[in-house]
């Protein structure tokens, strides 16, 4: 028999397949099943208008059989089949096939590894098989043919004796190696799982004979004697795929249970989702999607290992397990899938990133998620707060990252604890509750709302009846700084130099007092030996003697955060020690300032230590601090 040569292009592609060290060799099965399904589609379509086909919809099927002894895996279909000419054209060359697209869209990396590989077509069989045989009979043809190849050396075509229309693809699997156990692809469980994973929603049944075990009928005597029954194997043909994807069903057909069950099964979460949404979009982007918000963050959510993404299907066929481009980072917690007929099965990972259609779908999905969250915030506040506890941090990161590019989209989804009401409120709710004379949205940073409420800086603002947002997460102040304002109202830290509270007369008064006590303030600062930028008289303190604030861009809270990061940034906030001129301690300081400089220095250290403690920081020298207290006592 004459051995024919592959066309040069095909040969190169084949070589790539054979030498591919691509880890997802298992996708060959998806490719062959997908081809079989296409072939059945064609014949089924014919059967609708042509009685001679002689098959009903229910007669069509894809069959898989595995034989461990001969190491053969067969995928059969009763689809349209191929004529001799088609065999040559389709499998001998790669003109017009998905494989051609594959070749032009995919690149090889240094190790000759194919990057971004799916929709690789028929030749993917050579990733797992040393020999591939195709026996096929085309609809309307008298004869059947056999195509056979062991790879790059070429292929043969000869007549065969197949009697019914359709195609059998027979793979003789490669020998097992240290790295790859090809025998696995003969294992019933593995095959079943692969079909479930990649081809569950193929529209025609994928059948396989599966071995089960059952107890052998026992004699009465054995039963009475309580003997354990023996088991025997028996075979049964099973349909491995469920055929209709849940997301393609009508919403009215589906129950809450269906959606939740699907989620738990598919995304391996042990708890039910907090919220789901079934999207059927038509228009500029045609797709179905199932989107889920988990009720809690997965254990690896805040680690580098966590990968965002939605499953991507092209018309019921899985093309990507986790398509990251479908989700913006700030919605990275969303799980789910997207099925679109607008995407080609043969699209590669790299091309996908540039696919216009995918971008349109991603935009539309982002909008859906955002609307769902807004709806939940409005109508199911408790649920939203549960969501916020699990994933709020991510939204705040979203506000801050990319130079605040997305803040407008996210600001209405934010919650912060109100110091006044001790509950979570939105920025809009804050604005609504603002006093007529209130200029700013006030915020304070600290470990907890309770601690923030004890801050000396907070007192005066609360006295005015103004609410304060408690920023308790590390990211919060960064997010607020990125926002800058909300609905024209600027944010203002309670520790800011100018909180806009005192009138000019008050300012003047304090200024005069500072001038009067200039030497004292200088002495105090000197005693603190560079630990603070300066010591000032405070306009914001009521009952407390001191507080610590900062000057410039970096606040004390930001200093804490920045310095806890891996790179040693050594960023320091410019500290300002504020002293309450109305407090009796101030009079003490004034008198020591005249008489006892040494004592003044000790007092300065004590007051600074107190201010640190109130801010949730520790005194730099706790031993000295404690000794000073004892001395005083
Ligand atoms: P693609 O499926 O993307 O076109 P393939 O390389 O997988 O590319 O297949 C090449 C061609 O071979 C298909 O377009 C189809 O015409 C033909 N073919 C493959 N498998 C079958 C089959 N099971 N039945 C009929 N035709 C097939």
């Amino acid at each position: 028999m004459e051995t024919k040569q592959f066309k040069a292009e095909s040969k190169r592609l084949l070589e790539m397949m054979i030498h591919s060290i691509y880890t997802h060799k298992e996708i060959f099965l998806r490719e062959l099943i997908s081809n079989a399904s296409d072939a059945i589609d064609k014949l089924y379509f014919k059967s609708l208008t042509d009685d001679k086909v002689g098959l009903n919809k229910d007669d069509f099927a894809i069959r898989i059989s595995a034989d461990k002894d001969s190491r053969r895996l067969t995928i059969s279909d009763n689809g349209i089949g191929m004529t001799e000419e088609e065999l040559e054209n389709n499998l001998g060359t790669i003109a017009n096939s998905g494989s051609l697209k594959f070749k032009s869209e995919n690149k090889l990396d240094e190790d000759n590894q194919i990057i971004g590989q799916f929709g690789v077509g028929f030749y993917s069989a050579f990733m797992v098989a040393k020999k591939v045989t195709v026996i096929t009979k085309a609809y309307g043809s008298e004869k059947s043919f056999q195509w056979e190849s062991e790879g790059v050396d070429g292929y043969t075509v000869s007549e065969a004796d197949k009697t019914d229309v359709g195609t059998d693809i027979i793979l003789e699997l490669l020998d097992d190696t240290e790295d790859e156990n090809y025998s696995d692809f003969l294992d019933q469980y593995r095959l079943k799982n692969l079909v479930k994973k990649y081809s569950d929603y193929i529209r025609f049944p994928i059948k396989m004979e599966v071995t089960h075990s059952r107890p052998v009928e026992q004699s009465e005597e054995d039963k009475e004697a309580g003997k354990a029954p023996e088991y025997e194997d028996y075979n049964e043909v099973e349909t491995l795929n469920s055929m209709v994807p849940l997301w393609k069903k009508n919403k009215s057909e589906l129950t809450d249970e269906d959606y939740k069950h699907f989620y738990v099964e598919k995304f391996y979460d042990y708890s039910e989702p907090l919220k789901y949404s079934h999207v059927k979009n038509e228009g500029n982007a045609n797709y179905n999607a199932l989107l889920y918000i988990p009720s809690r963050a997965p254990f690896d959510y805040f680690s580098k290992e966590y990968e965002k993404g939605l499953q991507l299907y092209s018309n019921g066929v899985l093309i990507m397990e986790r398509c990251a481009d479908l989700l913006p980072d700030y919605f990275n917690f969303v799980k789910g899938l997207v099925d679109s007929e607008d995407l080609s099965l043969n699209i590669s990972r790299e091309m996908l990133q540039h696919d216009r259609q995918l971008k349109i779908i991603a935009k539309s999905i982002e909008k859906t998620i955002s609307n769902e969250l807004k709806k939940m915030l409005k109508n199911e506040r408790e649920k939203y707060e549960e969501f916020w506890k699990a994933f709020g941090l991510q939204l705040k990161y979203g506000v801050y990252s990319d130079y605040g590019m997305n803040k407008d989209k996210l600001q209405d989804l934010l919650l912060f604890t109100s110091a006044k009401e001790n509950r979570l409120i939105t920025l809009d709710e804050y604005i609504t509750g603002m006093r007529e004379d209130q200029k700013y949205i006030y915020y304070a940073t600290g470990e907890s709302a309770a601690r923030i409420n004890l801050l000396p800086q907070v007192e005066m603002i609360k006295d005015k009846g103004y609410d304060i947002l408690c920023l308790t997460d590390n990211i919060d102040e960064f997010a607020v700084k990125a926002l800058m304002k909300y609905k024209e109202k600027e944010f203002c830290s309670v520790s800011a130099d100018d909180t806009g509270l005192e009138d000019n007369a008050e300012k003047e008064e304090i200024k005069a007092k500072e001038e009067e006590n200039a030497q004292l303030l200088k002495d105090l600062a000197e005693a603190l030996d560079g630990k603070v930028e300066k010591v000032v008289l405070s306009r914001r303190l009521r009952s407390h003697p001191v507080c610590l604030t900062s000057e410039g861009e970096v606040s004390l809270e930001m200093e804490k955060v920045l310095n806890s990061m891996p790179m040693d940034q050594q960023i320091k906030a410019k500290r300002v020690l504020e002293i309450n001129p109305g407090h009796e301690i101030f009079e003490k300081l004034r008198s020591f300032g005249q008489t006892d400089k040494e004592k003044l220095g000790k007092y300065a250290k004590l007051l600074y230590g107190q201010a640190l403690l109130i801010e949730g920081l520790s005194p730099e020298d706790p031993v000295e601090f404690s000794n000073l207290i004892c001395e005083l006592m």
Side-chain angles (χ1 to χ4, degrees), residues 39 75-88 90-91 133-139 141-148 157-170:
I75 293 103
S76 303
D77 67 72
N78 51 354
I80 192 107
M82 282 176 273
T83 62
E84 183 177 18
E85 205 189 343
E86 282 168 335
L87 261 185
E88 287 272 352
N90 294 341
L91 307 184
T133 308
V134 179
I135 302 171
T136 183
K137 186 172 186 219
Y139 173 70
S141 159
E142 293 292 304
K143 293 181 179 174
S144 65
F145 293 91
Q146 171 168 327
W147 178 100
E148 202 159 67
V157 176
S158 56
E159 229 179 289
D161 50 10
K162 186 169 165 54
T163 49
D164 38 4
V165 172
T167 303
D168 302 329
I169 314 268
I170 303 156

Side-chain angles (χ1 to χ4, degrees), residues 31-32 34-40 42 75 77 79-82 86 90-91 93-94 96-100 119-123 136 166-169 346:
E31 296 298 311
L32 298 181
S34 163
N35 280 347
S37 171
D38 289 347
I40 293 179
K42 286 180 196 154
I75 293 103
D77 67 72
I80 192 107
M82 282 176 273
E86 282 168 335
N90 294 341
L91 307 184
T93 65
I94 47 167
N96 286 329
S97 81
S99 307
L100 181 69
V120 291
F122 169 77
Y123 285 166
T136 183
T167 303
D168 302 329
I169 314 268
N346 293 307

Side-chain angles (χ1 to χ4, degrees), residues 79 83 97 124 131 163 231 266 312 325 442 451 470 610:
T83 62
S97 81
S124 63
K131 182 168 162 189
T163 49
Y231 284 82
K266 186 121 191 155
L312 184 61
D325 296 322
Y442 291 102
R451 266 199 103 134
C470 301
Q610 283 179 21

Side-chain angles (χ1 to χ4, degrees), residues 584-602:
E584 55 187 76
I585 195 75
F586 183 63
E587 287 314 312
K588 269 252 164 75
L589 291 175
R590 273 165 63 99
S591 75
F592 288 137
Q594 306 291 335
T595 57
D596 191 343
K597 287 263 155 95
E598 200 197 328
K599 203 144 201 176
L600 182 77
K602 286 179 180 170

Side-chain angles (χ1 to χ4, degrees), residues 271-321:
S271 42
E272 285 190 352
L274 194 65
K275 192 101 193 134
Y276 61 82
S277 148
H278 187 177
V279 190
K280 285 173 181 275
N281 203 68
E282 275 170 25
N284 63 344
N286 297 298
Y287 68 90
N288 288 318
L290 279 175
L291 303 172
Y292 290 94
I293 296 172
S295 53
R296 66 187 84 194
F299 71 94
D300 61 347
Y301 184 64
F302 291 104
S303 77
K304 280 209 168 67
E305 275 69 56
Y306 182 79
E307 287 177 64
K308 65 167 182 170
L310 300 175
Q311 281 194 338
L312 184 61
Y313 289 80
S314 152
N315 229 343
V317 181
L318 179 67
I319 59 177
M320 201 170 178
E321 186 71 48

